[in-house]
Amino acid sequence: MDQPIGRVAALWRYPVKSMQGERLDSSPLGERGLAGDRRWAVMDVESGRVVSAKRPKLWGAMLQCAAAYVTDPGAGGQPATVRITLTGGREVLSDDPDRDRLLSEALGRSVTLMSFAAEGASYELSVGDLQGLEAPEPERMTQAPVALFAPPGTFYDASTLHVLTTASLERFAEAHPGGEWDVRRFRPNVLVVLDEAPADGFPENEWVGRSLQLGAEVQAAVLAPMPRCVMTTLPQGDLRHDPLILRTIAERNRRTLEGYGDYACAGVLANVAVPGAVAVGDAVSPGGPL
């Protein structure tokens, strides 16, 4: 490994897919990512698809809900209990027998909470979203499988780890200074602050195809730039709707994912190659080719 280039500024996990997550001081990091990350998801009863705010006209309210663990999720085993704060502030636990009714009322459709993705599980997103553009009217939808590069049964879109630098957020903010370039819009697991940020460009792009050391133990394999979608533009908490967020990313950092096409990208997708523990303040060091 090379000398450290920065440190872990923040850690985030998202107990329920497409809901707001929780910030951590430290966590085990293994084959399934940060302990408890995307351990739960909501499923639409009618379609049988995993619910994702990538279809905001139907599921945008998911980002107005938040989830946090009541008990330590550990590194594996049975899913731990999650407290979900619904739109309007009402709370429900994942082991509450009335949870599905309350979730359905909050989301306006019949849904159920799941802790394991069935084989062939998928979610919907707009064709325009695949290109880093907000969906036109009417939306033309397509399906994408969950866990594309992640272990079976998980609810990740692609890989188990998303890494983003504060330097990239600052570069985007220079192009759209009126935007709220809050880290919450981008849902990273690991936010990195660099000791010396580049004057221009996006440092994560240089990590693709290489290993990345997080702290003393964890090594991550950086697979690809992280494609962004309409979720970055949606309101959540005190953040307002801002379509220029996605447009700015598409203009400033459009990257080619071999075999898939061109995407608006921010940060990188990675999987854990060597498990261990990671904590805020840990050193981050680039490594050799995969």
Side-chain angles (χ1 to χ4, degrees):
M1 289 289 169
D2 295 337
Q3 291 297 311
I5 58 171
R7 58 184 172 80
V8 176
L11 294 170
W12 292 82
R13 71 178 168 209
Y14 308 88
V16 179
K17 182 178 180 65
S18 277
M19 290 187 183
Q20 296 176 47
E22 54 183 345
R23 195 162 177 168
L24 306 172
D25 293 324
S26 62
S27 175
L29 218 170
E31 180 191 19
R32 295 175 66 101
L34 287 174
D37 190 34
R38 273 82 168 193
R39 193 66 173 86
W40 296 87
V42 176
M43 188 185 76
D44 181 36
V45 171
E46 180 181 341
S47 68
R49 297 190 188 98
V50 174
V51 168
S52 171
K54 286 181 174 63
R55 189 175 182 183
K57 289 182 175 62
L58 196 59
W59 304 116
M62 286 288 288
L63 273 178
Q64 299 297 346
C65 301
Y69 281 102
V70 176
T71 54
D72 183 1
Q78 295 298 311
T81 301
V82 169
R83 177 180 290 108
I84 297 172
T85 304
L86 301 169
T87 54
R90 184 168 186 174
E91 295 183 345
V92 61
L93 297 179
S94 56
D95 57 3
D96 187 324
D98 215 22
R99 69 181 191 192
D100 288 347
R101 182 183 66 81
L102 294 173
L103 279 166
S104 298
E105 289 178 358
L107 297 174
R109 284 177 66 90
S110 180
V111 299
T112 184
L113 190 66
M114 307 289 289
S115 61
F116 186 84
E119 184 177 355
S122 66
Y123 61 94
E124 285 187 304
L125 73 166
S126 76
V127 173
D129 211 20
L130 285 172
Q131 302 164 357
L133 306 170
E134 280 212 300
E137 293 285 355
E139 285 184 297
R140 188 158 60 93
M141 306 306 298
T142 187
Q143 294 182 49
V146 298
L148 190 61
F149 307 120
T154 60
F155 289 110
Y156 296 97
D157 288 348
S159 67
T160 60
L161 196 64
H162 170 31
V163 185
L164 178 68
T165 67
T166 58
S168 287
L169 295 181
E170 291 165 4
R171 294 293 83 76
F172 290 125
E174 290 171 1
H176 175 29
E180 296 171 302
W181 293 89
D182 191 296
V183 65
R184 290 173 293 170
R185 289 193 185 277
F186 303 93
R187 302 172 66 82
N189 297 115
V190 182
L191 182 68
V192 175
V193 59
L194 301 177
D195 294 333
E196 187 174 345
D200 54 21
F202 301 93
E204 302 96 320
N205 293 342
E206 306 303 317
W207 301 348
V208 175
R210 304 177 67 88
S211 61
L212 192 68
Q213 182 86 28
L214 303 173
E217 300 173 344
V218 176
Q219 289 185 27
V222 181
L223 305 176
M226 176 69 175
R228 309 317 313 203
C229 69
V230 71
M231 284 179 66
T232 60
T233 73
L234 299 180
Q236 58 172 295
D238 57 349
L239 299 178
R240 66 179 184 273
H241 177 242
D242 185 356
L244 289 181
I245 294 289
L246 184 57
R247 190 177 307 170
T248 301
I249 298 171
E251 291 173 350
R252 296 288 170 161
N253 195 39
R254 202 163 182 81
R255 310 292 294 181
T256 299
L257 276 65
E258 189 173 351
Y260 292 93
D262 294 339
Y263 296 85
C265 292
V268 286
L269 293 164
N271 277 334
V272 177
V274 178
V278 64
V280 172
D282 280 353
V284 176
S285 307
L290 299 178

